[in-house]
Amino acid sequence: METKVFQSDQINQAAALLRQGELVAFPTETVYGLGANALLPESVKQVFSVKGRPSDNPLIVHVTDFSMTKEYVESYHPLTEKIVQHFWPGPLTLIFSIKTGSLSPVVTGGLSTAAFRMPDNKKTLSLIEETGAPLVGPSANTSGKPSPTTALHVYHDLKGKIAGILDDGATQIGVESTVLDLSGEVPTILRPGAVTKEKLEEVLGIEVPLDKHLVTESETPKAPGMKYKHYSPDTPVLMIKPADWKQAIAWAEMNNKKVGLLTTPKIADQYRSADRFVFADDTIEAATRGLFSGLRALDEAQKADIIFAEVFPDDHLGLAYMNRLKKAAAQNYFAEK
Ligand code: TXA
Ligand code: MG
């Protein structure tokens, strides 16, 4: 199959393919999604096979506005309106209890809840509108690889396997949305993202806990997708704490290891290395935007024996960055042996 790349004046062509049951990847503010019409179970099944995704991992239903969720949702948490008004469109996925049979079990993984999100991307909102149905959209990468933040990343992983990609350049945020469970009494963060725990608490005026597995690694995550190893390039990744850079670089030199650097300019300026992916500036926002892109670039250059990646404090957006980086590094920090 030829994978077509669509520009903004071709949204109607992309929508026509989705209506026919084909798969079309779409841009969002977080990462690119692998779109299928959420109301066509046969198309949704293809999403799993194209990605190599485990079938017990439910999908996010992407909508154009809050009212579109009403057809499927059984009951809303009392804080829903406030949350939606504040954070939609945006990088926040909400889990609600759904009406029995309103969505295919292929979408929900057979759960009595489902995930909904209104992405902050005009082209994708028009695409959903023109399709006339909500779109499921897991990240548009091969399962286990870093999520795609450009149309080219999607093309690299899925060319020949999907009908099209709607191109909108590089995504702004760089990691997947926050997943907030609103199906129980206490709103709980199942996956950290750019709508941070601190921001949610400020707006809601209550404590918003993290799912147990985000605090204690041995706990089983409530979001099925969080239990899988993710974001792993083929080159091993080591996380480097601020005080350990000097030692880590010396260790690599002594052991003849070629290092690929994934760091802010502040660190990169101190160490010269053949392979490097330097974030646009020293902020956590720039690091988060560059994380998946950097892992892909360093991996594909294939010159490095090992990737050294910079760590950030585990709070605010740093919690989302570190959650993805820890998975990419299989939890490994550099420690002098
Ligand atoms: O930013 C994003 O969220 C991107 C863009 C494309 O929208 N999408 C994305 O989808 O990251 P995906 O499928 O890779 O991640 C969805 C996450 C998974 O961890 C899944 O297990 C969880 O949401 N999830 C979906 N439905 C759920 C449910 N009913 N209960 C708990 N977790 C659920
Ligand atoms: Mg994913």
Side-chain angles (χ1 to χ4, degrees):
M1 164 187 316
E2 188 204 347
T3 301
K4 291 192 189 126
V5 178
F6 297 112
Q7 302 304 328
S8 44
D9 56 345
Q10 299 169 307
I11 290 176
N12 54 347
Q13 293 178 42
L17 287 170
L18 286 163
R19 279 196 302 272
Q20 289 159 26
E22 300 284 347
L23 307 190
V24 176
F26 58 80
T28 80
E29 75 281 37
T30 59
V31 301
Y32 275 73
L34 176 52
N37 184 328
L39 308 181
L40 302 177
E42 286 309 314
S43 307
V44 179
K45 270 187 204 156
Q46 280 182 52
V47 168
F48 288 90
S49 59
V50 158
K51 270 185 67 94
R53 179 179 173 108
S55 60
D56 69 342
N57 191 5
L59 300 170
I60 298 172
V61 177
H62 293 74
V63 294
T64 52
D65 56 24
F66 178 62
S67 69
M68 202 169 174
T69 65
K70 290 183 181 153
E71 213 173 314
Y72 313 103
V73 175
E74 172 73 41
S75 60
Y76 291 102
H77 189 281
L79 288 170
T80 302
E81 208 181 308
K82 196 168 192 182
I83 292 171
V84 165
Q85 268 182 12
H86 228 275
F87 296 107
W88 276 19
L92 180 65
T93 294
L94 301 175
I95 309 281
F96 298 119
S97 305
I98 53 163
K99 296 176 188 163
T100 314
S102 66
L103 286 166
S104 160
V106 189
V107 174
T108 62
L111 299 173
S112 59
T113 55
F116 295 88
R117 165 161 129 81
M118 176 185 179
D120 189 9
N121 182 290
K122 290 204 173 73
K123 292 178 189 169
T124 289
L125 292 174
S126 316
L127 180 69
I128 302 169
E129 186 89 50
E130 289 218 23
T131 304
L135 300 180
V136 294
S139 48
N141 52 292
T142 303
S143 258
K145 290 289 151 200
S147 295
T149 57
T150 65
L152 199 63
H153 294 158
V154 180
Y155 194 77
H156 176 273
D157 281 17
L158 302 179
K159 64 170 175 297
K161 296 182 176 171
I162 61 175
I165 304 169
L166 178 58
D167 188 1
D168 191 27
T171 64
Q172 302 95 299
I173 293 173
V175 297
E176 306 85 349
S177 62
T178 305
V179 176
L180 184 69
D181 187 1
L182 288 180
S183 68
E185 221 165 279
V186 182
T188 305
I189 295 170
L190 306 188
R191 177 174 74 181
V195 171
T196 63
K197 174 177 160 71
E198 291 85 350
K199 268 191 226 161
L200 282 164
E201 292 183 338
E202 188 191 310
V203 169
L204 300 179
I206 54 167
E207 201 208 323
V208 180
L210 299 169
D211 187 35
K212 288 197 283 272
H213 90 281
L214 293 167
V215 183
T216 312
E217 237 174 72
S218 53
E219 297 281 348
T220 305
K222 181 143 191 228
M226 296 296 280
K227 70 175 179 269
Y228 298 108
K229 191 181 166 202
H230 255 92
Y231 323 113
S232 45
D234 295 327
T235 315
V237 179
L238 273 185
M239 295 181 280
I240 314 292
K241 291 180 182 153
D244 293 343
W245 276 100
K246 230 189 175 128
Q247 269 187 344
I249 297 284
W251 169 85
E253 273 171 11
M254 222 167 66
N255 291 282
N256 272 319
K257 298 233 185 258
K258 275 191 142 178
V259 175
L261 289 185
L262 182 61
T263 68
T264 56
K266 198 172 67 193
I267 300 282
D269 287 350
Q270 295 174 48
Y271 302 100
R272 297 288 151 206
S273 149
D275 270 345
R276 49 178 49 218
F277 186 97
V278 184
F279 302 134
D281 60 51
D282 292 325
T283 63
I284 181 65
E285 286 77 17
T288 304
R289 195 177 304 127
L291 177 64
F292 289 151
S293 213
L295 287 170
R296 278 180 180 260
L298 289 170
D299 207 27
E300 275 151 36
Q302 281 177 356
K303 285 179 212 135
D305 301 316
I306 193 158
I307 296 170
F308 281 0
E310 186 165 340
V311 303
F312 278 82
D314 269 298
D315 56 11
H316 298 275
L317 186 56
L319 185 66
Y321 172 92
M322 289 305 295
N323 174 263
R324 304 329 189 263
L325 177 58
K326 282 177 184 168
K327 290 189 185 196
Q331 313 291 329
N332 290 315
Y333 286 87
F334 170 81
E336 253 261 283
K337 284 157 193 115

